[in-house]
Amino acid sequence: MVPKGKRPAGIVLLLLLLLSTCAPAPDSEEQTAPTGAEAVLARAVAAHGMEGFDSVRLEFSFRDRDYAVLNDHGRYAYFRRFTDSLGREITDILTNEGLERLVGGDTARLTAKDSAAYASSVNSVRYFFMLPYGLYDPAVNTELLDTVSIDGEGYDRVRVTFDADGGGRDYDDVYHYFFNRRTGALDYLAYTFEEDGGGIRFRKAVNQRRVEGVLIQDYVNYGVDGPDRDIDVLPARYTAGDLPELSLIENTAVTIGFPPATFR
């Protein structure tokens, strides 16, 4: 999903390095069984068919932009491609080394602020698409809370916060993830946010389908803006119909490959 024509040599070398990196040697120490939030998350990753995401190629479209994800045992390259208002093809490439933006195939000079904003945007879309596997990110902190009932089903509620280092520009947001106690799947999520006056959001998974054995889902997005940050009561507010529907989050043209390969 890199643009046709010009392809900077540095990117080609990076992809070759990425694809040739060997997986780290397994830890020789005996592994203990996960408990609490770790156990819930491990079951969810298995329920979604994402156990092999340490080495995977993903491609999908979201809001008229094309994305690609290449993971290879700690090395990664995330791509976003779209056409801007001037008709130019823009490609953002986020790797372990940082972000590079191509405009019409040529590398653009970016301010530190713009580079950080584009990197955060690319990573945010990638993170949500790869849930619940995205909760394995090193900057993520998880805590198992209580069991709640939503639409007649029981859910394990897991609280998620982020470290300032590696947690993105919105690291102070708080998330709750709701994992179905019967199926293990992530059916709902909620979060608070501070940007642009802040607010709360509650998302319900819809259009659940399997692609290469992986559970892919879209989300109906509910919420309100303003000073309200009481995330604990969002399931009850959703059940009571107290959260207006704001948008539909759709991922289309999804392809998944194991193991990773070069992007077309």
Side-chain angles (χ1 to χ4, degrees):
M1 293 186 60
V2 293
K4 297 178 181 179
K6 296 183 180 180
R7 186 192 295 259
I11 297 175
V12 175
L13 291 175
L14 172 63
L15 291 177
L16 291 174
L17 174 62
L18 186 62
L19 294 172
S20 63
T21 301
C22 296
D27 192 344
S28 60
E29 296 182 2
E30 183 178 351
Q31 299 295 315
T32 58
T35 60
E38 291 183 355
V40 172
L41 178 55
R43 181 173 181 239
V45 168
H48 284 250
M50 295 180 175
E51 304 100 314
F53 269 27
D54 281 350
S55 180
V56 70
R57 185 193 73 251
L58 310 171
E59 297 184 33
F60 63 98
S61 297
F62 173 68
R63 292 180 177 169
D64 298 323
R65 300 187 177 196
D66 296 326
Y67 290 82
V69 174
L70 183 61
N71 267 0
D72 189 19
H73 299 96
R75 301 287 298 173
Y76 62 83
Y78 308 148
F79 298 81
R80 175 176 64 184
R81 185 174 63 189
F82 62 97
T83 301
D84 70 4
S85 59
L86 300 178
R88 302 174 301 178
E89 186 174 75
I90 307 296
T91 302
D92 293 321
I93 306 169
L94 178 62
T95 70
N96 300 76
E97 283 69 44
L99 180 124
E100 181 177 15
R101 167 164 286 205
L102 307 181
V103 178
D106 297 320
T107 301
R109 298 185 63 179
L110 301 174
T111 65
K113 180 179 179 180
D114 285 343
S115 180
Y118 300 151
S120 178
S121 177
V122 171
N123 190 54
S124 177
V125 173
R126 185 278 317 173
Y127 169 85
F128 279 109
F129 181 82
M130 295 177 71
L131 286 172
Y133 178 84
L135 297 176
Y136 280 152
D137 284 2
V140 171
N141 306 300
T142 60
E143 176 188 2
L144 180 61
L145 300 178
D146 53 355
T147 299
V148 299
S149 178
I150 308 175
D151 287 343
E153 288 272 10
Y155 288 90
D156 289 317
R157 174 160 43 181
V158 174
R159 184 176 188 265
V160 169
T161 57
F162 301 89
D163 294 334
D165 184 12
R169 63 178 180 177
D170 300 320
Y171 69 89
D172 51 352
D173 295 346
V174 176
Y175 286 76
H176 284 183
Y177 293 90
F178 302 88
F179 298 97
N180 192 304
R181 292 178 63 88
R182 178 174 52 85
T183 67
L186 172 65
D187 289 346
Y188 300 90
L189 65 92
Y191 64 95
T192 69
F193 64 97
E194 303 298 327
E195 189 175 13
D196 297 328
I200 49 179
R201 294 291 184 266
F202 187 85
R203 294 184 180 181
K204 175 183 178 179
V206 296
N207 190 25
Q208 295 170 311
R209 69 272 191 199
R210 295 276 174 178
V211 178
E212 299 296 332
V214 176
L215 180 60
I216 304 299
Q217 50 197 27
D218 303 325
Y219 293 91
V220 178
N221 191 34
Y222 304 87
V224 293
D225 296 335
D228 187 352
R229 301 291 192 281
D230 193 351
I231 192 172
D232 292 315
V233 301
L234 285 184
R237 292 184 64 177
Y238 162 76
T239 300
D242 189 34
L243 294 176
E245 181 177 331
L246 302 177
S247 63
L248 177 62
I249 298 168
E250 294 182 286
N251 300 299
T252 61
V254 178
T255 63
I256 301 175
F258 302 93
T262 53
F263 294 106
R264 60 177 180 267

XYZ file of all heavy atoms in Angstrom, residues 89-134:
352
model
N -1.298 12.655 -3.462
C -1.314 11.399 -2.716
C -0.381 11.524 -1.511
O 0.804 11.829 -1.644
C -0.869 10.235 -3.586
C -1.017 8.893 -2.885
C -0.717 7.726 -3.791
O 0.480 7.491 -4.064
O -1.666 7.050 -4.224
N -0.951 11.294 -0.328
C -0.200 11.396 0.923
C -0.023 9.993 1.502
O -0.993 9.229 1.595
C -0.933 12.273 1.954
C -1.287 13.637 1.345
C -0.092 12.430 3.218
C -0.108 14.477 0.965
N 1.189 9.660 1.884
C 1.450 8.396 2.563
C 2.222 8.669 3.843
O 3.293 9.271 3.816
C 2.272 7.434 1.681
O 1.566 7.191 0.462
C 2.502 6.114 2.406
N 1.651 8.253 4.970
C 2.334 8.327 6.267
C 2.856 6.941 6.607
O 2.128 5.947 6.498
C 1.386 8.804 7.362
C 0.953 10.246 7.172
O 1.801 11.061 6.770
O -0.230 10.548 7.420
N 4.114 6.875 7.035
C 4.750 5.604 7.371
C 5.333 5.738 8.770
O 6.256 6.518 9.006
C 5.865 5.243 6.372
C 5.323 5.275 4.945
C 6.456 3.877 6.706
C 6.398 5.181 3.888
N 4.767 4.983 9.704
C 5.205 5.018 11.096
C 5.926 3.717 11.411
O 5.361 2.634 11.276
C 4.000 5.197 12.028
C 4.281 5.196 13.534
C 5.206 6.357 13.918
C 2.975 5.251 14.323
N 7.195 3.818 11.833
C 8.001 2.647 12.152
C 8.631 2.816 13.529
O 8.417 3.823 14.212
C 9.124 2.451 11.113
O 10.086 3.509 11.273
C 8.572 2.470 9.700
N 9.410 1.828 13.920
C 10.142 1.933 15.186
C 11.038 3.153 15.201
O 11.388 3.673 16.274
C 10.998 0.694 15.409
C 10.189 -0.580 15.478
O 9.739 -1.082 14.448
N 9.993 -1.116 16.673
N 11.446 3.641 14.046
C 12.349 4.788 13.947
C 11.620 6.128 13.940
O 12.246 7.177 14.037
C 13.213 4.672 12.688
C 14.355 3.674 12.799
C 13.866 2.236 12.866
O 12.951 1.885 12.082
O 14.373 1.471 13.699
N 10.289 6.119 13.787
C 9.559 7.373 13.750
C 8.637 7.452 12.550
O 8.341 6.441 11.899
N 8.152 8.663 12.271
C 7.198 8.864 11.187
C 7.841 9.563 10.000
O 8.626 10.498 10.167
C 6.001 9.685 11.669
C 4.960 9.915 10.566
C 3.584 9.411 10.990
C 4.879 11.381 10.145
N 7.462 9.107 8.812
C 7.862 9.771 7.572
C 6.608 10.015 6.757
O 5.741 9.137 6.651
C 8.829 8.897 6.772
C 9.304 9.541 5.471
C 10.320 8.691 4.731
O 10.439 7.496 5.073
O 10.980 9.222 3.820
N 6.481 11.213 6.193
C 5.348 11.533 5.316
C 5.859 11.740 3.896
O 6.828 12.495 3.667
C 4.606 12.764 5.797
C 3.622 13.329 4.771
C 2.613 14.292 5.341
N 1.577 13.583 6.120
C 0.350 14.076 6.321
N 0.000 15.259 5.835
N -0.529 13.396 7.033
N 5.190 11.063 2.952
C 5.479 11.240 1.538
C 4.345 12.022 0.906
O 3.173 11.716 1.114
C 5.619 9.888 0.832
C 6.602 8.879 1.415
C 6.613 7.611 0.577
C 7.991 9.480 1.500
N 4.696 13.032 0.138
C 3.722 13.825 -0.610
C 4.041 13.643 -2.088
O 5.092 14.086 -2.555
C 3.770 15.314 -0.225
C 2.769 16.113 -1.054
C 3.498 15.494 1.262
N 3.168 12.954 -2.799
C 3.435 12.656 -4.192
C 4.686 11.808 -4.383
O 5.354 11.895 -5.418
N 5.036 11.010 -3.391
C 6.199 10.136 -3.466
C 7.477 10.736 -2.923
O 8.477 10.029 -2.789
N 7.477 12.028 -2.601
C 8.662 12.698 -2.073
C 8.524 12.914 -0.566
O 7.436 13.234 -0.066
C 8.870 14.054 -2.759
C 9.135 13.899 -4.248
O 9.871 12.963 -4.611
O 8.596 14.702 -5.040
N 9.632 12.776 0.160
C 9.628 12.959 1.602
C 9.362 14.419 1.958
O 10.009 15.329 1.427
C 10.961 12.518 2.206
O 11.183 11.142 1.895
C 10.969 12.691 3.713
N 8.403 14.640 2.849
C 8.048 15.996 3.270
C 8.791 16.352 4.549
O 9.061 15.495 5.387
C 6.542 16.090 3.500
N 9.126 17.636 4.701
C 9.726 18.132 5.928
C 8.614 18.513 6.890
O 7.720 19.285 6.558
C 10.626 19.336 5.645
C 11.808 19.029 4.729
C 12.720 20.222 4.589
N 13.319 20.611 5.862
C 14.181 21.632 6.014
N 14.508 22.379 4.960
N 14.684 21.909 7.205
N 8.671 17.961 8.105
C 7.608 18.162 9.087
C 8.150 18.821 10.346
O 9.289 18.578 10.738
C 6.978 16.820 9.472
C 6.348 15.987 8.354
C 5.918 14.631 8.902
C 5.172 16.716 7.720
N 7.311 19.631 10.971
C 7.653 20.127 12.290
C 7.498 18.987 13.299
O 6.812 17.991 13.036
C 6.740 21.290 12.698
O 5.393 20.802 12.829
C 6.780 22.413 11.658
N 8.112 19.134 14.448
C 7.990 18.112 15.489
C 6.535 17.945 15.902
O 6.070 16.823 16.165
C 8.853 18.487 16.687
N 5.797 19.049 15.962
C 4.390 18.993 16.353
C 3.567 18.217 15.337
O 2.750 17.351 15.706
C 3.832 20.409 16.502
C 2.373 20.462 16.916
C 1.892 21.893 17.063
C 0.418 21.947 17.454
N -0.057 23.355 17.589
N 3.759 18.497 14.040
C 3.005 17.801 13.008
C 3.377 16.323 12.958
O 2.509 15.459 12.801
C 3.254 18.440 11.641
C 2.522 19.759 11.471
O 1.590 20.015 12.258
O 2.888 20.531 10.573
N 4.658 16.026 13.101
C 5.101 14.634 13.081
C 4.445 13.840 14.204
O 3.962 12.710 13.996
C 6.623 14.563 13.202
O 7.066 13.228 13.188
N 4.395 14.424 15.399
C 3.780 13.747 16.534
C 2.281 13.565 16.320
O 1.717 12.516 16.668
C 4.039 14.538 17.814
N 1.618 14.566 15.739
C 0.175 14.488 15.507
C -0.149 13.407 14.481
O -1.089 12.616 14.671
C -0.355 15.832 15.042
N 0.609 13.343 13.387
C 0.354 12.329 12.362
C 0.639 10.932 12.904
O -0.112 9.983 12.651
C 1.214 12.587 11.125
C 0.975 13.920 10.453
C 2.000 14.570 9.753
C -0.256 14.547 10.520
C 1.789 15.793 9.144
C -0.476 15.782 9.918
C 0.559 16.396 9.232
O 0.351 17.613 8.628
N 1.705 10.801 13.671
C 2.047 9.497 14.251
C 0.952 9.029 15.196
O 0.548 7.851 15.182
C 3.382 9.577 14.978
N 0.436 9.930 16.029
C -0.617 9.585 16.971
C -1.885 9.162 16.244
O -2.556 8.199 16.635
C -0.906 10.772 17.890
O -1.962 10.482 18.776
N -2.208 9.868 15.153
C -3.409 9.557 14.391
C -3.321 8.182 13.742
O -4.258 7.382 13.806
C -3.637 10.630 13.326
O -4.760 10.322 12.531
N -2.185 7.894 13.112
C -1.988 6.588 12.477
C -2.046 5.477 13.513
O -2.721 4.451 13.332
C -0.647 6.545 11.726
C -0.335 5.125 11.247
C -0.668 7.500 10.535
N -1.352 5.671 14.630
C -1.288 4.633 15.650
C -2.640 4.414 16.314
O -2.989 3.283 16.688
C -0.249 4.989 16.711
C 0.018 3.837 17.655
O 0.347 2.731 17.248
N -0.130 4.088 18.947
N -3.434 5.469 16.473
C -4.739 5.341 17.108
C -5.667 4.451 16.282
O -6.332 3.555 16.827
C -5.367 6.722 17.296
O -6.660 6.618 17.840
N -5.719 4.679 14.971
C -6.566 3.855 14.112
C -6.089 2.405 14.135
O -6.872 1.469 14.239
C -6.576 4.407 12.675
C -7.311 3.448 11.733
C -7.223 5.781 12.633
N -4.782 2.214 14.052
C -4.205 0.869 14.104
C -4.546 0.186 15.419
O -4.932 -1.002 15.451
C -2.692 0.995 13.924
C -1.903 -0.295 13.835
C -1.546 -0.956 15.121
N -1.085 -0.087 16.185
C -0.849 -0.498 17.419
N -1.046 -1.769 17.761
N -0.450 0.348 18.349
N -4.433 0.912 16.519
C -4.688 0.359 17.853
C -6.118 -0.153 17.982
O -6.357 -1.277 18.432
C -4.392 1.436 18.891
C -4.851 1.134 20.295
C -4.056 0.385 21.160
C -6.070 1.614 20.778
C -4.470 0.113 22.466
C -6.488 1.347 22.067
C -5.683 0.592 22.902
O -6.112 0.331 24.172
N -7.096 0.674 17.585
C -8.484 0.270 17.719
C -8.819 -0.894 16.794
O -9.582 -1.791 17.170
C -9.419 1.450 17.443
C -9.576 2.378 18.615
C -9.017 3.646 18.595
C -10.276 1.986 19.746
C -9.159 4.504 19.680
C -10.426 2.830 20.836
C -9.870 4.095 20.796
N -8.269 -0.895 15.593
C -8.537 -1.990 14.671
C -8.025 -3.314 15.228
O -8.647 -4.359 15.023
C -7.881 -1.719 13.317
C -8.130 -2.805 12.308
C -9.309 -2.846 11.589
C -7.186 -3.799 12.086
C -9.548 -3.856 10.659
C -7.406 -4.815 11.167
C -8.599 -4.843 10.454
N -6.902 -3.284 15.944
C -6.271 -4.500 16.434
C -6.718 -4.910 17.835
O -6.144 -5.813 18.436
C -4.746 -4.342 16.399
C -4.189 -4.202 15.003
S -2.389 -3.940 14.971
C -1.813 -5.579 15.487
N -7.748 -4.256 18.369
C -8.259 -4.677 19.668
C -8.848 -6.084 19.583
O -9.472 -6.431 18.579
C -9.337 -3.714 20.154
C -8.855 -2.359 20.656
C -10.041 -1.433 20.930
C -8.007 -2.502 21.912
N -8.645 -6.911 20.624
C -7.998 -6.623 21.908
C -6.475 -6.805 21.913
O -5.829 -6.550 22.924
C -8.656 -7.624 22.847
C -8.921 -8.809 21.975
C -9.298 -8.236 20.633
N -5.902 -7.255 20.778
C -4.452 -7.467 20.742
C -3.708 -6.177 21.066
O -2.631 -6.212 21.668
C -4.022 -7.980 19.372
C -2.537 -8.185 19.243
C -1.935 -9.371 19.678
C -1.714 -7.188 18.707
C -0.568 -9.556 19.577
C -0.344 -7.374 18.600
C 0.214 -8.556 19.035
O 1.573 -8.731 18.945
N -4.265 -5.022 20.694
C -3.601 -3.748 20.955
C -3.338 -3.489 22.418
O -2.480 -2.671 22.771
